Amino acid sequence: MKIEDLKTRYNSVFGGEALWVRSPGRINIIGEHTDYNGGFVLPAAINKAIYIGISKREDEEVHLYAEDFKEKHTVALSALAPSEKSWPNYILGVADQLLKSGYKIGGFNLYIDGDVPLGAGLSSSAAVECATGYALDQLFNLKLTQETIALVAQKAEHTFAGVMCGIMDQFASVFGKQDHVIKLDCRSLDYEYVPLKLDGYKLVLLNTNVKHALSSSAYNTRRSQCEQGVAWITAHHPEVTSLRDATVSMLDKYVKEKDEEVYIKCRFVIDEIERLLVACDHLKKGDLAALGQKMYETHEGLSEAYEVSCKELDFLVAEVRNYPQVLGARMMGGGFGGCTINIVKDEFIDELIEKISVSYEQECGLALSAYIVETADGTGKI
Ligand code: GLA
């Protein structure tokens, strides 16, 4: 995205100049569906981002323009509510949260564009929310901390998009650091930057181009199942407030006989939290082969136990297992479509993409997109 082009287009929509903000999409190496269970995640911000140009208005109105949809949306600041169109919600939800938390903002014009593919599991929505939070902070001098921006963005997703997401996506977008992944403790929000050293290998995303409409309701169902499991344990162990605190023997004792499905889901989460810790040590030691094995294990769990995969994602992971040049692969993000993340030997990347595009189209009847991942810094002014 060229900033000069963005400025020109902003000017033709709203006139005048704007303050510019960039907020990236994210990947996650391992640790899926652990964030809303108080566990760990291992995400990184990437070099695909959402760009926002913003300026103050004289009145108390919010005027939005989305380049992707070539569409305007206007609403009074006093009448913020979820819209029928989905794209304005990620922006309006943030403004609404700020007002509800007592921050003073006035009317504004906001232009949005970006190159994070939508619905690909790269958290374009979190990037929009974080860019909006940061832009409003700068424009109205709110003095928000980075953590507050991430939390407000997450709340916007809950209230205006109806997805009861965890904190991973927004945290990664705000706190991303080039050449690093973030080992984030989602219970305390303590975090550590871990260098992403992939000597001779790269992370490659294979996008199924499947967007499942049911994903947000299924996501919320998984979250409730986890909460149900915790509630049954808490009745006997009041100190347990999330699956992070729970053990397999607690699950065996208090959950298994009550509901087998809930048991299987909770078991996956407990295993995944543990798996991340081991995998992160492998990454720190540079043992990419061992890390890759953990990714395959995660995929199996997400597909068979947590049941958030789909046949296209399963196909892509099964296919790459035929190649020793691919050390690990798994579906990434909420699931039901989007991308797989793969650790692939440098020299083999082109060949892999070529081969797998053909077999994917034959088997699933869809075109595959592939991206070689580069990590990037988090939300900031341009
Ligand atoms: C989505 C949510 C995140 C996280 C992942 C699964 O991306 O927004 O909070 O739960 O799914 O790990």
Side-chain angles (χ1 to χ4, degrees):
M1 289 267 140
K2 285 213 201 87
I3 181 74
E4 289 315 317
D5 296 346
L6 291 170
K7 284 181 176 171
T8 307
R9 282 186 268 133
Y10 177 92
N11 187 269
S12 70
V13 176
F14 293 118
E17 297 199 341
L19 184 154
W20 287 93
V21 168
R22 170 196 153 280
S23 200
R26 65 102 189 89
I27 51 159
N28 184 28
I29 306 286
I30 197 163
E32 219 64 90
H33 290 273
T34 49
D35 60 352
Y36 54 84
N37 287 300
F40 292 88
V41 288
L42 202 59
I46 57 172
N47 64 339
K48 292 185 186 295
I50 295 293
Y51 298 84
I52 276 180
I54 196 168
S55 66
K56 283 185 186 171
R57 292 179 59 85
E58 297 294 320
D59 56 21
E60 296 292 296
E61 288 189 356
V62 175
H63 288 224
L64 311 177
Y65 183 82
E67 191 63 53
D68 270 358
F69 303 94
K70 305 263 180 291
E71 201 170 61
K72 263 193 161 171
H73 187 81
T74 303
V75 60
L77 208 49
S78 57
L80 294 179
S83 125
E84 295 269 297
K85 296 178 235 163
S86 87
W87 70 262
N89 288 331
Y90 305 104
I91 302 164
L92 302 178
V94 172
D96 184 60
Q97 268 315 303
L98 289 172
L99 288 173
K100 290 205 167 110
S101 313
Y103 292 102
K104 294 241 173 320
I105 60 172
F108 58 90
N109 294 322
L110 186 152
Y111 171 95
I112 183 161
D113 198 1
D115 58 6
V116 188
L118 304 180
L122 300 181
S123 298
S124 55
S125 62
V128 174
E129 291 151 0
C130 295
T132 304
Y134 190 91
L136 289 171
D137 173 58
Q138 297 287 311
L139 192 66
F140 295 106
N141 196 19
L142 306 178
K143 302 200 165 38
L144 305 178
T145 63
Q146 285 178 295
E147 191 176 302
T148 304
I149 292 174
L151 289 168
V152 162
Q154 179 196 23
K155 209 65 200 285
E157 181 91 27
H158 291 182
T159 52
F160 272 52
V163 180
M164 295 306 292
C165 65
I167 191 64
M168 169 169 74
D169 306 347
Q170 292 80 6
F171 200 96
S173 189
V174 172
F175 284 86
K177 183 172 169 181
Q178 197 178 354
D179 299 325
H180 291 77
V181 295
I182 309 169
K183 182 185 179 193
L184 171 66
D185 178 338
C186 300
R187 183 169 61 183
S188 63
L189 297 189
D190 288 342
Y191 63 98
E192 177 196 349
Y193 290 116
V194 178
L196 183 63
K197 285 206 233 76
L198 296 172
D199 302 329
Y201 287 82
K202 286 205 169 71
L203 295 175
V204 178
L205 303 179
L206 299 176
N207 187 353
T208 58
N209 287 312
V210 173
K211 293 170 193 162
H212 276 226
L214 280 178
S215 60
S216 56
S217 66
Y219 182 93
N220 292 345
T221 306
R222 293 298 176 281
R223 185 169 180 151
S224 317
Q225 288 172 312
C226 294
E227 285 166 358
Q228 177 60 76
V230 172
W232 283 329
I233 297 174
T234 310
H236 303 269
H237 293 273
E239 74 283 5
V240 173
T241 58
S242 70
L243 286 177
R244 167 77 174 278
D245 312 313
T247 61
V248 172
S249 72
M250 288 175 185
L251 280 186
D252 287 341
K253 218 159 156 188
Y254 306 117
V255 179
K256 196 165 189 172
E257 62 191 22
K258 283 221 163 66
D259 188 325
E260 184 73 21
E261 265 309 298
V262 171
Y263 174 83
I264 293 170
K265 302 295 178 271
C266 293
R267 178 68 204 256
F268 164 78
V269 171
I270 292 182
D271 291 347
E272 180 70 357
I273 294 173
E274 175 61 27
R275 193 156 36 232
L276 177 142
L277 296 173
V278 176
C280 190
D281 285 340
H282 292 319
L283 175 63
K284 285 179 179 171
K285 286 189 199 125
D287 190 346
L288 297 179
L291 169 65
Q293 280 311 309
K294 291 288 158 199
M295 291 167 71
Y296 282 131
E297 281 174 29
T298 289
H299 184 79
E300 215 176 290
L302 288 166
S303 178
E304 281 159 30
Y306 216 62
E307 295 183 290
V308 291
S309 187
C310 60
K311 74 171 191 328
E312 293 83 358
L313 288 165
D314 289 345
F315 174 78
L316 289 178
V317 172
E319 252 327 77
V320 300
R321 291 196 92 144
N322 296 322
Y323 303 107
Q325 300 92 330
V326 182
L327 295 184
R330 63 178 197 82
M331 57 148 278
M332 189 179 72
F336 305 102
C339 294
T340 63
I341 177 168
N342 305 262
I343 307 182
V344 188
K345 196 158 186 60
D346 269 344
E347 307 87 81
F348 186 62
I349 294 176
D350 290 345
E351 192 182 332
L352 175 74
I353 294 173
E354 212 171 289
K355 285 192 161 130
I356 208 156
S357 297
V358 174
S359 57
Y360 182 67
E361 183 145 14
Q362 270 168 3
E363 189 66 24
C364 301
L366 284 166
L368 185 80
S369 325
Y371 324 106
I372 300 170
V373 176
E374 279 172 47
T375 57
D377 288 340
T379 317
K381 243 182 175 169
I382 309 177

